[in-house]
Amino acid sequence: MASNRPAPQAVYVPNDDEFGGYDPETWEEWNPTEESVRPVRGRHRVHKKGGGGLARSSTVLGVGVIAAVGAGGIATAQDGKPPVSISMPDLGTVTDSLPEAKSLPGVGSLISDDAPDAAGSDAVPAGAPLTTAGMTSADGGQGTSDAGEALRARIMQQAESQQDQADDAVRTAAEEAAAKKATEEAAAQQKEAEREADAKAAAKKKKEEEARKAKALAERRAKLARSYAIPTSSYTLTSHFGDSGSMWSSGQHTGLDFAAPTGTPLKAVHTGTVKEAGWAGAYGYRTVLELSDGTEVWYCHQSSLNVSVGQKVSTGDVIGRVGATGNVTGPHLHLEVRTSGGAAIDPLAWLRSKGLNP
């Protein structure tokens, strides 16, 4: 198996001329020991010979690379100062003892050699600055020649990209919030419009219902009016139901008075049967007309009677005439209306409920 270790170097022996005379008998062979070659701390360092020139050159190369990268970064971090260019020392003196440079990764391109590498590219001169370490082809295309500046540019670009993303997120959230608010406002307006429309429709329906009821009531009253009649004509309403006074034995008026000339005809307010017809004391001559529902209509203070008990009469038939008999102060018709149970009610309200308006 072939060895990759370098060939041993020839021992150099100085001649007499170089040292001004040399006595082999008095010259002692110097065998260095660990104690004799111990380096003085803080001043210099003596490299052991075991690694040959490769160890020394590798150390110089590593220190050079670190110094180049560090100097480039420091120079870039200081605004306004140009980058520091650091060159590698000439390694030509140790190339004979080094393994083939092309076999060391990343080293062949740093050794000054006119021969092209395995890839066919020209070798980088040994004195080229290393401040471009860490740069990409995109950085070079943007005109950036310093690794620290390129790093700063990439960091700034990334920060700007993140800021743009954050701005886009804020803008998107604002747009979504505005759209949501607009949708909610539109829904609220639509709901309010529907509520107003429902209210208008309800009001219209209520108005139509009221109109319908009013019309039905008017028709009913008209029909009733055709079947009911005001008891006399050419009259004036004087005393009303519930009036107070000493003229009435109960202290209150129990009917409705139609003042009219003596002899004015009295008419049946509705179809019914004559229940009484004759003298009734303080009521004078009185006729009691009983209707089909049991309601009684009293005609009092008549001057004459035109019907008899048990007689059937129709609406508008003449049943007597206005007079001033009984307890009166002048000719008039005292009209009373009593329920089937005998309670007196307001004649004016009863007539109006039948479609009449005396």
Side-chain angles (χ1 to χ4, degrees), residues 7-11 49 52-53 97:
Q9 297 180 2
V11 177
K49 194 175 179 180
S97 61

Side-chain angles (χ1 to χ4, degrees), residues 197-231:
D198 292 342
K200 289 181 180 179
K204 182 179 179 181
K205 183 178 180 180
K206 182 178 180 181
K207 185 176 181 180
E208 292 176 350
E209 183 67 17
E210 291 176 351
R212 186 188 65 79
K213 290 181 178 180
K215 183 179 179 181
L217 179 60
E219 291 177 352
R220 184 174 66 83
R221 287 180 176 179
K223 183 177 180 180
L224 289 174
R226 289 191 295 269
S227 61
Y228 285 84
I230 295 176

Side-chain angles (χ1 to χ4, degrees), residues 11 22 26-38 46-47 49:
V11 177
Y22 158 60
T26 61
W27 184 266
E28 295 180 0
E29 183 180 358
W30 180 63
N31 294 319
T33 65
E34 184 178 357
E35 294 297 328
S36 63
V37 298
R38 180 183 302 273
V46 178
H47 294 279
K49 194 175 179 180

Side-chain angles (χ1 to χ4, degrees), residues 24-332:
E25 296 181 357
T26 61
W27 184 266
E28 295 180 0
E29 183 180 358
W30 180 63
N31 294 319
T33 65
E34 184 178 357
E35 294 297 328
S36 63
V37 298
R38 180 183 302 273
V40 179
R41 181 173 301 176
R43 295 184 60 187
H44 64 274
R45 187 185 197 98
V46 178
H47 294 279
K48 292 183 178 180
K49 194 175 179 180
L54 177 60
R56 180 169 59 255
S57 61
S58 299
T59 302
V60 174
L61 175 61
V63 172
V65 172
I66 295 173
V69 175
I74 295 174
T76 303
Q78 298 177 354
D79 296 338
K81 293 183 179 181
V84 178
S85 177
I86 298 177
S87 302
M88 291 296 298
D90 186 4
L91 303 178
T93 59
V94 296
T95 54
D96 294 338
S97 61
L98 292 175
E100 187 177 357
K102 296 179 182 180
S103 65
L104 298 178
V107 176
S109 61
L110 301 178
I111 300 176
S112 176
D113 192 354
D114 295 335
D117 58 9
S121 60
D122 295 338
V124 179
L130 298 181
T131 56
T132 58
M135 290 178 54
T136 64
S137 59
D139 297 332
Q142 295 177 355
T144 304
S145 60
D146 183 79
E149 182 65 23
L151 178 59
R152 187 186 71 84
R154 288 197 296 272
I155 292 175
M156 292 299 296
Q157 183 179 5
Q158 183 179 6
E160 291 176 358
S161 176
Q162 292 176 351
Q163 183 63 40
D164 292 341
Q165 293 177 2
D167 293 342
D168 292 341
V170 172
R171 182 168 54 255
T172 301
E175 292 175 354
E176 291 177 353
K180 182 179 180 181
K181 182 178 180 181
T183 302
E184 292 176 352
E185 291 178 351
Q189 292 176 357
Q190 179 66 22
K191 188 174 182 179
E192 182 65 21
E194 292 176 355
R195 187 184 299 109
E196 292 179 356
D198 292 342
K200 289 181 180 179
K204 182 179 179 181
K205 183 178 180 180
K206 182 178 180 181
K207 185 176 181 180
E208 292 176 350
E209 183 67 17
E210 291 176 351
R212 186 188 65 79
K213 290 181 178 180
K215 183 179 179 181
L217 179 60
E219 291 177 352
R220 184 174 66 83
R221 287 180 176 179
K223 183 177 180 180
L224 289 174
R226 289 191 295 269
S227 61
Y228 285 84
I230 295 176
T232 187
S233 58
S234 301
Y235 61 88
T236 300
L237 295 179
T238 55
S239 298
H240 290 72
F241 179 81
D243 291 345
S244 299
S246 58
M247 296 181 296
W248 304 291
S249 59
S250 63
Q252 289 183 331
H253 195 225
T254 55
L256 179 65
D257 288 350
F258 295 79
T262 300
T264 301
L266 300 175
K267 295 179 290 184
V269 296
H270 192 58
T271 300
T273 303
V274 177
K275 186 176 182 179
E276 295 182 13
W279 183 258
Y283 288 101
Y285 287 106
R286 180 184 68 177
T287 299
V288 177
L289 179 63
E290 185 178 24
L291 307 183
S292 59
D293 62 355
T295 301
E296 294 181 357
V297 181
W298 293 5
Y299 298 81
C300 305
H301 308 305
Q302 297 180 64
S303 60
S304 61
L305 304 175
N306 291 4
V307 294
S308 58
V309 175
Q311 182 178 345
K312 299 288 186 178
V313 297
S314 298
T315 302
D317 290 346
V318 176
I319 61 174
R321 295 186 180 275
V322 175
T325 59
N327 185 15
V328 296
T329 58
H332 69 280

